[in-house]
Coordinates of all heavy atoms in Angstrom, one line a residue:
L1 N 259.8 -17.8 -18.2 CA 259.6 -18.2 -16.8 C 258.2 -18.9 -16.7 O 258.1 -19.8 -15.9 CB 259.7 -17.0 -15.8 CG 259.7 -17.3 -14.3 CD1 260.9 -18.2 -14.0 CD2 259.8 -16.0 -13.6
A2 N 257.3 -18.4 -17.4 CA 255.9 -19.0 -17.3 C 255.8 -20.4 -18.1 O 254.9 -21.2 -17.8 CB 254.9 -18.1 -17.9
T3 N 256.8 -20.6 -19.0 CA 256.6 -21.7 -19.9 C 257.7 -22.8 -19.8 O 257.4 -24.0 -19.8 CB 256.5 -21.3 -21.4 OG1 257.6 -20.4 -21.7 CG2 255.3 -20.5 -21.6
A4 N 258.9 -22.4 -19.8 CA 260.1 -23.4 -20.0 C 260.2 -24.3 -18.8 O 260.4 -25.5 -18.9 CB 261.3 -22.6 -20.3
P5 N 260.4 -23.7 -17.5 CA 260.6 -24.7 -16.4 C 259.6 -25.7 -16.2 O 259.9 -26.9 -16.0 CB 260.7 -23.7 -15.2 CG 261.0 -22.4 -15.8 CD 260.3 -22.3 -17.1
I6 N 258.3 -25.4 -16.3 CA 257.2 -26.4 -16.1 C 257.3 -27.4 -17.2 O 257.0 -28.6 -17.0 CB 255.8 -25.8 -16.0 CG1 254.7 -26.8 -15.7 CG2 255.5 -24.9 -17.2 CD1 254.9 -27.5 -14.5
Y7 N 257.6 -27.0 -18.5 CA 257.7 -27.9 -19.6 C 258.8 -29.0 -19.3 O 258.7 -30.1 -19.4 CB 257.9 -27.2 -20.9 CG 258.6 -28.1 -21.9 CD1 257.9 -29.1 -22.6 CD2 259.9 -27.9 -22.3 CE1 258.5 -29.9 -23.5 CE2 260.5 -28.7 -23.2 CZ 259.8 -29.7 -23.8 OH 260.4 -30.5 -24.8
I8 N 260.0 -28.4 -19.0 CA 261.1 -29.3 -18.7 C 260.9 -30.3 -17.6 O 261.2 -31.4 -17.6 CB 262.4 -28.5 -18.5 CG1 262.8 -27.7 -19.8 CG2 263.6 -29.3 -18.0 CD1 263.9 -26.7 -19.6
F9 N 260.2 -29.8 -16.5 CA 260.0 -30.6 -15.3 C 259.0 -31.7 -15.7 O 259.2 -32.9 -15.4 CB 259.4 -29.7 -14.2 CG 259.0 -30.6 -13.0 CD1 259.9 -31.2 -12.1 CD2 257.6 -30.7 -12.8 CE1 259.5 -31.9 -11.1 CE2 257.2 -31.5 -11.7 CZ 258.0 -32.1 -10.9
V10 N 257.9 -31.3 -16.2 CA 256.8 -32.3 -16.6 C 257.4 -33.4 -17.6 O 257.2 -34.6 -17.4 CB 255.6 -31.6 -17.2 CG1 254.6 -32.7 -17.7 CG2 254.9 -30.8 -16.0
D11 N 258.0 -32.9 -18.6 CA 258.5 -33.8 -19.6 C 259.6 -34.7 -19.2 O 259.8 -35.8 -19.7 CB 258.9 -33.0 -20.9 CG 257.9 -33.4 -22.0 OD1 256.8 -33.6 -21.8 OD2 258.5 -33.3 -23.2
S12 N 260.4 -34.2 -18.2 CA 261.5 -35.1 -17.7 C 261.0 -36.3 -17.1 O 261.7 -37.3 -17.0 CB 262.4 -34.3 -16.8 OG 261.8 -34.0 -15.5
L13 N 259.8 -36.3 -16.6 CA 259.2 -37.4 -15.8 C 258.5 -38.4 -16.8 O 258.1 -39.5 -16.4 CB 258.2 -36.9 -14.8 CG 258.7 -36.0 -13.7 CD1 257.6 -35.6 -12.8 CD2 259.8 -36.7 -12.9
S14 N 258.5 -38.0 -18.1 CA 257.8 -38.9 -19.1 C 258.7 -39.1 -20.3 O 258.3 -39.2 -21.4 CB 256.5 -38.4 -19.5 OG 256.6 -37.0 -20.1
G15 N 260.0 -39.1 -20.1 CA 261.0 -39.4 -21.1 C 261.4 -38.3 -22.0 O 262.0 -38.5 -23.0
G16 N 261.0 -37.1 -21.7 CA 261.2 -36.0 -22.5 C 262.7 -35.7 -22.8 O 263.1 -35.4 -23.9
L17 N 263.5 -35.9 -21.8 CA 264.9 -35.6 -22.0 C 265.7 -36.9 -22.4 O 267.0 -36.9 -22.4 CB 265.6 -35.2 -20.6 CG 265.0 -33.8 -20.2 CD1 265.6 -33.3 -18.9 CD2 265.2 -32.7 -21.2
A18 N 264.9 -37.9 -22.8 CA 265.5 -39.1 -23.4 C 265.0 -39.3 -24.8 O 265.2 -40.4 -25.4 CB 265.2 -40.3 -22.5
Y19 N 264.5 -38.3 -25.4 CA 263.8 -38.3 -26.7 C 264.3 -37.2 -27.6 O 264.1 -36.0 -27.2 CB 262.3 -38.3 -26.5 CG 261.5 -38.5 -27.7 CD1 261.7 -39.4 -28.7 CD2 260.4 -37.6 -28.0 CE1 260.9 -39.6 -29.8 CE2 259.6 -37.8 -29.0 CZ 259.8 -38.7 -29.9 OH 259.1 -38.9 -31.1
A20 N 265.0 -37.4 -28.7 CA 265.7 -36.5 -29.4 C 264.9 -35.2 -29.8 O 265.3 -34.1 -29.7 CB 266.3 -37.1 -30.7
P21 N 263.6 -35.4 -30.4 CA 262.9 -34.2 -30.7 C 262.6 -33.3 -29.6 O 262.7 -32.0 -29.7 CB 261.5 -34.8 -31.3 CG 261.9 -36.1 -31.7 CD 262.9 -36.6 -30.8
K22 N 262.4 -33.8 -28.4 CA 262.2 -33.0 -27.2 C 263.5 -32.3 -26.7 O 263.4 -31.2 -26.2 CB 261.5 -33.8 -26.1 CG 260.1 -34.2 -26.5 CD 259.4 -34.8 -25.3 CE 257.9 -35.1 -25.6 NZ 257.1 -35.7 -24.5
T23 N 264.6 -33.0 -26.8 CA 265.9 -32.4 -26.3 C 266.3 -31.3 -27.4 O 266.9 -30.3 -27.0 CB 267.0 -33.4 -26.2 OG1 267.2 -34.1 -27.3 CG2 266.6 -34.4 -25.0
A24 N 265.9 -31.5 -28.6 CA 266.1 -30.5 -29.7 C 265.4 -29.2 -29.3 O 265.9 -28.1 -29.3 CB 265.7 -31.0 -31.1
F25 N 264.1 -29.4 -28.9 CA 263.3 -28.2 -28.5 C 263.8 -27.6 -27.2 O 263.8 -26.4 -27.1 CB 261.8 -28.6 -28.4 CG 260.9 -27.5 -28.1 CD1 260.7 -26.4 -29.0 CD2 260.2 -27.4 -26.9 CE1 259.9 -25.3 -28.7 CE2 259.3 -26.4 -26.6 CZ 259.2 -25.3 -27.5
T26 N 264.3 -28.4 -26.3 CA 264.8 -28.0 -25.1 C 266.1 -27.1 -25.4 O 266.3 -26.1 -24.7 CB 265.1 -29.1 -24.2 OG1 264.0 -29.9 -23.9 CG2 265.7 -28.6 -22.8
G27 N 266.9 -27.6 -26.3 CA 268.1 -26.8 -26.7 C 267.7 -25.4 -27.2 O 268.4 -24.4 -27.0
F28 N 266.7 -25.4 -28.0 CA 266.1 -24.2 -28.6 C 265.7 -23.2 -27.4 O 266.1 -22.0 -27.4 CB 264.9 -24.4 -29.5 CG 264.1 -23.2 -29.9 CD1 264.5 -22.4 -30.9 CD2 263.0 -22.9 -29.1 CE1 263.7 -21.3 -31.3 CE2 262.2 -21.8 -29.5 CZ 262.6 -21.0 -30.6
L29 N 265.0 -23.8 -26.4 CA 264.5 -22.9 -25.3 C 265.8 -22.4 -24.5 O 265.8 -21.2 -24.0 CB 263.6 -23.7 -24.4 CG 262.3 -24.1 -25.0 CD1 261.5 -25.0 -24.1 CD2 261.5 -22.8 -25.3
L30 N 266.8 -23.3 -24.2 CA 267.9 -22.9 -23.5 C 268.7 -21.8 -24.2 O 269.3 -21.0 -23.6 CB 268.8 -24.1 -23.2 CG 268.2 -25.1 -22.2 CD1 269.1 -26.4 -22.1 CD2 268.1 -24.5 -20.8
C31 N 268.7 -21.9 -25.5 CA 269.4 -20.9 -26.3 C 268.7 -19.5 -26.2 O 269.3 -18.5 -26.0 CB 269.4 -21.3 -27.8 SG 270.3 -20.1 -28.9
Y32 N 267.4 -19.6 -26.2 CA 266.5 -18.4 -25.9 C 266.9 -17.8 -24.6 O 267.1 -16.6 -24.4 CB 265.1 -18.8 -26.0 CG 264.0 -17.8 -26.1 CD1 262.8 -18.2 -26.8 CD2 264.1 -16.5 -25.7 CE1 261.8 -17.3 -26.9 CE2 263.1 -15.6 -25.9 CZ 261.9 -16.0 -26.5 OH 260.9 -15.1 -26.7
C33 N 267.0 -18.6 -23.5 CA 267.3 -18.2 -22.2 C 268.7 -17.5 -22.1 O 269.0 -16.5 -21.6 CB 267.2 -19.3 -21.2 SG 265.5 -19.9 -20.9
L34 N 269.7 -18.3 -22.8 CA 271.1 -17.8 -22.7 C 271.3 -16.5 -23.4 O 272.1 -15.7 -22.9 CB 272.0 -18.9 -23.4 CG 273.5 -18.8 -23.1 CD1 273.8 -19.1 -21.7 CD2 274.2 -19.8 -24.0
S35 N 270.5 -16.2 -24.4 CA 270.6 -14.9 -25.1 C 270.2 -13.8 -24.1 O 270.7 -12.6 -24.3 CB 269.7 -14.9 -26.3 OG 268.3 -14.8 -26.0
L36 N 269.3 -14.0 -23.2 CA 269.0 -12.9 -22.3 C 270.1 -12.5 -21.4 O 270.3 -11.3 -21.2 CB 267.8 -13.4 -21.4 CG 266.5 -13.8 -22.0 CD1 265.5 -14.2 -21.0 CD2 265.9 -12.6 -22.8
I37 N 271.0 -13.4 -21.0 CA 272.1 -13.1 -20.2 C 273.1 -12.2 -21.0 O 273.6 -11.2 -20.5 CB 272.8 -14.4 -19.7 CG1 271.9 -15.2 -18.9 CG2 274.1 -14.0 -18.9 CD1 272.5 -16.5 -18.4
R38 N 273.3 -12.6 -22.2 CA 274.2 -11.8 -23.1 C 273.7 -10.5 -23.4 O 274.4 -9.5 -23.4 CB 274.4 -12.7 -24.4 CG 275.5 -12.1 -25.3 CD 275.0 -11.8 -26.6 NE 276.0 -11.3 -27.6 CZ 275.8 -10.8 -28.7 NH1 274.5 -10.7 -29.1 NH2 276.8 -10.3 -29.4
N39 N 272.4 -10.4 -23.8 CA 271.8 -9.1 -24.2 C 271.5 -8.2 -23.1 O 271.3 -7.0 -23.3 CB 270.5 -9.4 -25.0 CG 270.8 -10.1 -26.3 OD1 271.8 -9.7 -26.9 ND2 269.9 -10.9 -26.8
A40 N 271.6 -8.7 -21.8 CA 271.4 -7.7 -20.7 C 272.5 -6.7 -20.7 O 272.3 -5.5 -20.2 CB 271.4 -8.5 -19.4

């Protein structure tokens, strides 16, 4: 909560979600988040 949303928001305004290395890292973070729902 302290790291992922602000990263995605800031980077989306500077091409982050249009650049493969950054969307790869975003996929990693979303996987991290998704695991919390499952492991709850």
